[in-house]
């Protein structure tokens, strides 16, 4: 294996990873819904936020850690968002991710649609010492759902993440043109029956993935489903995909333990607002009663700095982890997360904030460009 | 005939249709007035509106239907705007459109300047079961106008649509360079006399079409003309081309039954505001007393969602129907409308609105980007 | 001579004219000062203004005429701005322009720096029946200035236009690189002595034109100079180059008869605001006590419509006349002005304003895009 | 040596200088931190400010001078920002700069990291008659720092400039890819010991420069360090790198003699606001009690005009001086500064301000484009 060239930024990893991915996989990983307006906006909306650095503040020692959930601290306000089908990126798939997570002391959220079973991921997590959360899709067949919950619990995950933005699948055009379906040798590893473990072939106008979701996933999901889930588990339940203050209040009312502001990386409702634009209103509604994270468009440490400065507990990254994974497996994952951590630390040093608490106390650390 | 490739979006149809159109026709269909500022703005103004999706709202069953006019429901808030000379797009012209309308349960507005007579269109509409409205241009010769009204009534149309933005024809540069005139074998099929049924040849600096309009169409049209029309028909009368609140109030005063906010697809007054920008002030003035539709720049289901969220009764599409028509006749028309319907439904599912009533009750479902 | 192709817009004339101009002349005509920020902004600022068309207003007869100065009416709110050295564009230079002005019933402002003497231009103006104003540059030698005034009066001009934005010449980079100087066979035709009639050669870093201006033109020009001019003439005196409300008030105080809001077509202070942006504050300060015109960036009839809707008495065009001149002499000038007139008339028809008075009464005929 | 072509603008010098620089040096000079957002914004933010020129104000004699510090006047509100390693640009390095400074009557701020010793620079400054300030980096070893201060004093500098935006070095990607380190034959000329005089080699992922800074420079710098410095010197102390009003107040409290608003030319905290955007709030906080300068993105005389109009005492330029230096040594430096001075003078003439006092009294000489 020829050694990697210097890869300094997430974008370097994105470019490099392309050579290791077949078009079908690359398209599946990269694409957003429809015209990809929201996909692009998630990223560009960060550029509208500008940092106002302080000076002469003795930045010899910086504390980047943060209380993550129920008193547990995280070294950095950064985790791995759940993404499906990681074996398309690298042979060991989710196992490589969990190793990368451990190496960078990050928490990993495992997708319901992993190509490795939650049991195997959980086992590896214990070996390498990684913290694991489990992302839940609710199947029409509630027994399947309940069994998923119990298996995740048994595998040692610390929280359940209910994805609430996917009652139906967003249409990703590239996947549809590609008639995207999982490569033959890969399965939905958390399911037994063929209809749930295998993805149908795609046909003109509809990817196999889209067929799978509309046949399996329950579009009638609502806050009552959440209550039902809470009766089935003692784990903290976090909802992922809230984009509004009113829904955040409903989430609070339903007793969730945390919220991830997310639009699924621009893969569901196209033309919606960016997540970093939705964050302030969700934070205002929640008023610090539970932690609020965000994901979508985080591409460097300044983005993390901005989200945290606005009040987020932390951020998750989806695609960037896949770029690391496809570039060089677990070490690529660790490298990508390491870059983000280093850039975040660097941002704190250069702007003079010694701790996240100090940063969040300053409500003018970050300003919207329209205010200048 | 080789089968069509996968055409997933309206833009796919636009591109594909180009190969089936001679330059003269394509230019006539596509162009806007002068520098085409308004043509582009109609489309781009939709991008300034962003969707704020809700979550966990049980979207198993969605009702996309809406009261269209006088209590009659439409399956979707979507109809076909009147466009002239459809036989340039496909051999059967307006007959194909009416068949496509029926196949997609859409209403068709037939242009005064159809290349098929309103009698033939009306007959076909009955056979295939399509709802038909008739768009009216007012000729200097009022007998001609009156006869048009009576013939349309007799042909079974359900409403008259008076176009109020064309006292003179907007100058479309491409048509002028092309010295555009109707191909020899085509006629204004709703007229008998040569001067009204045939288009003069163009000459340098003026298309034949421009000559036709200035010789035939009455530039002195005003609200009194509308009153006169109302004395000639029992059909509901809708005005198409209102762009301001003050004019909407005049329309109300004149007793119209509905308003279509329109700038003629950017083909008349260039450098005017976009229709989606004009919609809110017209809605505010009308204050729900009569239905308000809009057309111009609708290119996907999110655009329909936005217009409806702002309060529009529904939207009409002009060029996209011509793209379908030129791509594959009536099935192309049905396909284009079907895409829009599916995308609209999909938008409701993904943003959590189960009915148009529910959507319109939320005054923050859609926000202008400058408010973020 | 091969016949011209169809030239429908001013931009068509601009492009066509390029083939008839040597680089030195084209660069001199086209360029703005320094980075040409203001040159571009003069044009693009018009795009930020949008028209809100009315409908059903009987536009059979439109009156485009306007009181121009001291009760005299103009057929259109449009005149020819003064531009120097017109013989670089066509053999007959200013004589062609005056003929074009007459053919289109436009007023021409003759530059102090014409390549034809004001006497010859005045004579031709009488023959063809054109209205003439004379633009004045104030020479350090006041006798020269005074003699200019008297000669212009004798030649029959109807008003003096004092240019107030050129105490020193703006640096146009292209002219400097070109070491621009007047072609040998051309002179400042309104001057006798060699130092005033001839332009020095350019050298590295300074055009000959720049040398001429700094040696001849008086940088100490102020409002007292204006008073002095008023003692020397009975003609109305108009100041050209006012960009602010406070200066407009000073102009009023000094007894001027009219103001042209201008930044010299972006050729003087680069990075200044656009003229259409300066217009409202000048109009507000003047409060209808004297007429206010504008020039800069007018490229079509919608631009005239916008300026007039904001309250301008009318507009002047500089470069577009040179494009006409270089394309086909006097007929090119007439054609360019004719296009603008026709487009302006067309705009009034399509937006439903029957007279300039009616248009100016509506303070929402034109809106800034940031208000949408 | 072939003579230079006409170089009229700073951009001409930038382009020309490229041919005289090896990639390593060019990249070091040009680059900003990370994605270079702030680097670009420093320049583009000036474009959002527009000039409102006055007219008829007798601009024969313009006074461009300004009180610079402690009653001393400067001919122009313009000085040379400190930049390291000038021998990479031209053989004589800092000596050429000091000569260029003298030739254009500008003040030069000498960097701690000069490739010529402060003693040699000071000697040359006396010979050619240039005013000199000394920029201070605070080393972990306080003896080194103290000795630097004393040597600078002895060399005749008139003020100390403490850089407060570099507790750690901003990551410049190009330098990191290049593994940038000082060319062998060059040293940190103000230091004796090898560890301080020599730059380590770079390795993958870290430039030699970055290693140097993290090993030598004190990240614990704070306002107490400033107090310590003030006990070590009688020279006025100016802080460079303040970007906020609150920090400006702290600076005032600490007794500084002046502030330079700076973000280090976009080389430290990327994604921060532009300096010209930070200037107003710093000025407001300081309320004229001490002088406030700015640097970053000044590329022509209009930029100086804008900064001064907003209230800055003057501006400094970094890269443009390096372009002059690399193009033609001391005469290039003088040329670049001369262009800026001439353009500034020209701006005052063309906008009608006869002195900086007059300009600063007008709070509407410059407006933000969003106010139009
Ligand atoms: C390829 C891919 C697969 C994804 N799969 C899932 C999934 O299985 N479950 C889920 O809740 N979110 C899924 N997401 C959404 C991510 O969890 C996350 O919200 C998103 O990627 C964040 O945006 P980013 O990619 O810009 O960081 C997926 C995203 C991508 C890009
Ligand atoms: C080729 C073409 C022909 C048209 N003919 C007519 C017509 O005959 N009568 C009419 O009222 N509007 C006519 N229109 C305007 C349309 O009814 C409608 O307002 C416009 O097309 C909507 O914009 P869209 O094309 O962006 O959907 C025409 C538009 C086009 C593009
Ligand atoms: C080539 C050229 C020469 C000009 N010469 C003069 C002149 O001699 N006197 C004057 O007052 N303005 C002069 N101007 C400015 C024009 O009168 C007018 O302000 C400007 O051209 C308007 O902008 P526009 O070219 O965008 O229409 C000149 C402009 C140009 C382009
Ligand atoms: C190549 C280079 C080296 C620099 N070295 C120093 C330095 O040694 N000390 C310092 O305080 N600032 C340094 N700066 C920052 C400059 O003093 C100044 O803040 C910046 O260059 C201003 O931006 P401009 O280059 O856009 O004019 C350096 C800047 C550059 C471009």
């Amino acid at each position: 294996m020829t050694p990697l060239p210097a890869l300094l930024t997430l974008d370097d990893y994105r470019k490099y990873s392309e050579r290791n991915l077949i078009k079908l996989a690359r398209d599946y990983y990269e694409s957003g819904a429809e015209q990809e307006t929201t996909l692009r906006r998630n990223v560009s909306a960060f550029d509208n936020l500008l940092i106002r650095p302080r000076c002469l503040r003795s930045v010899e020692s910086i504390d980047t850690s943060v209380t993550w959930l129920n008193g547990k601290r995280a070294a950095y306000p950064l985790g791995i968002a759940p993404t499906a089908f990681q074996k398309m990126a690298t042979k060991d798939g989710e196992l490589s991710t969990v190793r990368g997570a451990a190496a960078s002391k990050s928490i990993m959220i495992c997708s319901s649609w992993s190509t490795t079973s939650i049991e195997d991921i959980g086992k590896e997590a214990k070996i390498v010492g990684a913290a694991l959360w489990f992302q839940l899709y609710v199947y029409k067949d509630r027994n399947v759902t309940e069994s998923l919950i119990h298996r995740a619990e048994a595998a040692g995950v610390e929280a359940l993440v209910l994805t609430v933005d996917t009652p139906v699948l967003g249409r990703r055009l590239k996947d549809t043109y590609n008639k995207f379906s999982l490569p033959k040798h890969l399965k939905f590893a958390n399911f037994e029956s063929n209809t749930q473990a295998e993805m149908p072939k795609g046909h003109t106008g509809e990817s196999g993935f889209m067929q799978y979701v509309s046949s399996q996933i329950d579009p009638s999901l609502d806050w009552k489903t959440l209550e039902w889930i809470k009766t089935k588990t003692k784990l903290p339940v976090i909802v992922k995909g809230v984009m509004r203050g009113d829904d955040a209040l409903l989430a609070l009312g339903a007793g969730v333990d945390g919220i991830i502001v997310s639009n699924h990386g621009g893969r569901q409702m196209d033309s919606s607002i960016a997540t970093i634009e939705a964050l302030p209103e969700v934070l205002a509604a929640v008023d610090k009663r539970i932690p609020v994270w965000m994901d979508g468009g985080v591409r460097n440490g300044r983005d993390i700095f901005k989200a945290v400065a606005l009040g987020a507990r932390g951020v998750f990254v989806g695609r960037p982890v896949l770029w690391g994974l496809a570039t060089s497996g677990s070490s690529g994952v660790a490298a990508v997360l390491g870059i983000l951590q280093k850039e975040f630390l660097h941002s704190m040093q250069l702007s003079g904030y010694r701790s996240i608490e100090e940063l969040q106390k300053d409500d003018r650390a970050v300003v919207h460009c329209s205010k200048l």
Side-chain angles (χ1 to χ4, degrees), chain A residues 97-113:
Chain A
T97 307
V98 86
R99 288 176 201 130
S104 60
K105 296 195 187 1
S106 294
I107 193 160
M108 170 182 177
I109 310 181
C110 177
S111 168
S112 277
W113 293 336

mmCIF file of all heavy atoms in Angstrom, chain A residues 97-113:
data_model
loop_
_atom_site.group_PDB
_atom_site.id
_atom_site.type_symbol
_atom_site.label_atom_id
_atom_site.label_comp_id
_atom_site.label_asym_id
_atom_site.label_seq_id
_atom_site.Cartn_x
_atom_site.Cartn_y
_atom_site.Cartn_z
ATOM 1 N N THR A 97 -15.497 1.630 12.003
ATOM 2 C CA THR A 97 -15.969 2.892 12.566
ATOM 3 C C THR A 97 -15.865 2.893 14.084
ATOM 4 O O THR A 97 -15.416 3.869 14.684
ATOM 5 C CB THR A 97 -17.437 3.133 12.152
ATOM 6 O OG1 THR A 97 -17.527 3.015 10.744
ATOM 7 C CG2 THR A 97 -17.901 4.524 12.564
ATOM 8 N N VAL A 98 -16.259 1.768 14.665
ATOM 9 C CA VAL A 98 -16.235 1.732 16.129
ATOM 10 C C VAL A 98 -14.794 1.805 16.636
ATOM 11 O O VAL A 98 -14.508 2.435 17.653
ATOM 12 C CB VAL A 98 -17.025 0.517 16.658
ATOM 13 C CG1 VAL A 98 -16.174 -0.731 16.732
ATOM 14 C CG2 VAL A 98 -17.661 0.831 18.006
ATOM 15 N N ARG A 99 -13.891 1.220 15.889
ATOM 16 C CA ARG A 99 -12.474 1.324 16.282
ATOM 17 C C ARG A 99 -11.989 2.770 16.147
ATOM 18 O O ARG A 99 -11.274 3.281 17.002
ATOM 19 C CB ARG A 99 -11.618 0.404 15.400
ATOM 20 C CG ARG A 99 -11.804 -1.076 15.717
ATOM 21 C CD ARG A 99 -11.009 -1.973 14.760
ATOM 22 N NE ARG A 99 -11.586 -3.323 14.761
ATOM 23 C CZ ARG A 99 -11.918 -4.013 13.667
ATOM 24 N NH1 ARG A 99 -11.729 -3.501 12.451
ATOM 25 N NH2 ARG A 99 -12.441 -5.220 13.779
ATOM 26 N N GLY A 100 -12.380 3.405 15.078
ATOM 27 C CA GLY A 100 -11.995 4.813 14.886
ATOM 28 C C GLY A 100 -12.588 5.698 15.972
ATOM 29 O O GLY A 100 -11.941 6.638 16.452
ATOM 30 N N ALA A 101 -13.821 5.359 16.350
ATOM 31 C CA ALA A 101 -14.466 6.133 17.415
ATOM 32 C C ALA A 101 -13.667 6.013 18.713
ATOM 33 O O ALA A 101 -13.402 7.014 19.394
ATOM 34 C CB ALA A 101 -15.892 5.635 17.631
ATOM 35 N N ALA A 102 -13.274 4.793 19.020
ATOM 36 C CA ALA A 102 -12.508 4.579 20.250
ATOM 37 C C ALA A 102 -11.182 5.334 20.200
ATOM 38 O O ALA A 102 -10.795 6.010 21.156
ATOM 39 C CB ALA A 102 -12.268 3.088 20.453
ATOM 40 N N ALA A 103 -10.519 5.222 19.078
ATOM 41 C CA ALA A 103 -9.206 5.859 18.942
ATOM 42 C C ALA A 103 -9.288 7.358 19.142
ATOM 43 O O ALA A 103 -8.328 7.995 19.580
ATOM 44 C CB ALA A 103 -8.615 5.542 17.566
ATOM 45 N N SER A 104 -10.439 7.939 18.809
ATOM 46 C CA SER A 104 -10.568 9.389 18.957
ATOM 47 C C SER A 104 -11.496 9.745 20.111
ATOM 48 O O SER A 104 -11.923 10.885 20.224
ATOM 49 C CB SER A 104 -11.084 9.991 17.652
ATOM 50 O OG SER A 104 -12.338 9.425 17.348
ATOM 51 N N LYS A 105 -11.761 8.764 20.971
ATOM 52 C CA LYS A 105 -12.608 9.000 22.148
ATOM 53 C C LYS A 105 -13.946 9.634 21.780
ATOM 54 O O LYS A 105 -14.457 10.486 22.513
ATOM 55 C CB LYS A 105 -11.893 9.898 23.160
ATOM 56 C CG LYS A 105 -10.623 9.307 23.766
ATOM 57 C CD LYS A 105 -10.248 10.135 24.983
ATOM 58 C CE LYS A 105 -8.919 9.805 25.630
ATOM 59 N NZ LYS A 105 -8.072 8.780 25.104
ATOM 60 N N SER A 106 -14.497 9.216 20.637
ATOM 61 C CA SER A 106 -15.784 9.765 20.225
ATOM 62 C C SER A 106 -16.888 8.759 20.441
ATOM 63 O O SER A 106 -16.654 7.552 20.441
ATOM 64 C CB SER A 106 -15.769 10.103 18.726
ATOM 65 O OG SER A 106 -14.875 11.141 18.485
ATOM 66 N N ILE A 107 -18.075 9.246 20.590
ATOM 67 C CA ILE A 107 -19.216 8.362 20.676
ATOM 68 C C ILE A 107 -19.703 8.035 19.269
ATOM 69 O O ILE A 107 -19.666 8.877 18.373
ATOM 70 C CB ILE A 107 -20.332 9.023 21.505
ATOM 71 C CG1 ILE A 107 -21.375 7.974 21.859
ATOM 72 C CG2 ILE A 107 -20.986 10.157 20.764
ATOM 73 C CD1 ILE A 107 -22.222 8.392 23.019
ATOM 74 N N MET A 108 -20.123 6.798 19.050
ATOM 75 C CA MET A 108 -20.648 6.395 17.746
ATOM 76 C C MET A 108 -22.134 6.070 17.887
ATOM 77 O O MET A 108 -22.531 5.335 18.792
ATOM 78 C CB MET A 108 -19.926 5.142 17.256
ATOM 79 C CG MET A 108 -20.578 4.512 16.021
ATOM 80 S SD MET A 108 -19.726 2.986 15.510
ATOM 81 C CE MET A 108 -20.768 2.435 14.131
ATOM 82 N N ILE A 109 -22.924 6.621 16.969
ATOM 83 C CA ILE A 109 -24.321 6.185 16.897
ATOM 84 C C ILE A 109 -24.408 5.157 15.780
ATOM 85 O O ILE A 109 -24.076 5.449 14.626
ATOM 86 C CB ILE A 109 -25.295 7.348 16.588
ATOM 87 C CG1 ILE A 109 -25.042 8.540 17.534
ATOM 88 C CG2 ILE A 109 -26.740 6.873 16.696
ATOM 89 C CD1 ILE A 109 -25.987 9.727 17.307
ATOM 90 N N CYS A 110 -24.848 3.977 16.149
ATOM 91 C CA CYS A 110 -24.947 2.890 15.176
ATOM 92 C C CYS A 110 -26.324 2.925 14.510
ATOM 93 O O CYS A 110 -27.343 3.089 15.182
ATOM 94 C CB CYS A 110 -24.735 1.583 15.913
ATOM 95 S SG CYS A 110 -24.916 0.167 14.845
ATOM 96 N N SER A 111 -26.361 2.798 13.189
ATOM 97 C CA SER A 111 -27.625 2.838 12.458
ATOM 98 C C SER A 111 -28.394 1.529 12.579
ATOM 99 O O SER A 111 -27.796 0.457 12.664
ATOM 100 C CB SER A 111 -27.338 3.109 10.974
ATOM 101 O OG SER A 111 -28.497 2.873 10.202
ATOM 102 N N SER A 112 -29.719 1.604 12.574
ATOM 103 C CA SER A 112 -30.542 0.404 12.446
ATOM 104 C C SER A 112 -30.155 -0.400 11.210
ATOM 105 O O SER A 112 -30.327 -1.610 11.158
ATOM 106 C CB SER A 112 -32.027 0.792 12.277
ATOM 107 O OG SER A 112 -32.638 1.052 13.503
ATOM 108 N N TRP A 113 -29.653 0.328 10.213
ATOM 109 C CA TRP A 113 -29.367 -0.308 8.934
ATOM 110 C C TRP A 113 -27.883 -0.574 8.740
ATOM 111 O O TRP A 113 -27.340 -0.436 7.646
ATOM 112 C CB TRP A 113 -29.920 0.566 7.800
ATOM 113 C CG TRP A 113 -31.429 0.618 7.797
ATOM 114 C CD1 TRP A 113 -32.285 -0.302 8.323
ATOM 115 C CD2 TRP A 113 -32.244 1.642 7.241
ATOM 116 N NE1 TRP A 113 -33.589 0.074 8.133
ATOM 117 C CE2 TRP A 113 -33.600 1.272 7.467
ATOM 118 C CE3 TRP A 113 -31.999 2.833 6.573
ATOM 119 C CZ2 TRP A 113 -34.675 2.059 7.051
ATOM 120 C CZ3 TRP A 113 -33.064 3.612 6.147
ATOM 121 C CH2 TRP A 113 -34.389 3.223 6.396
#
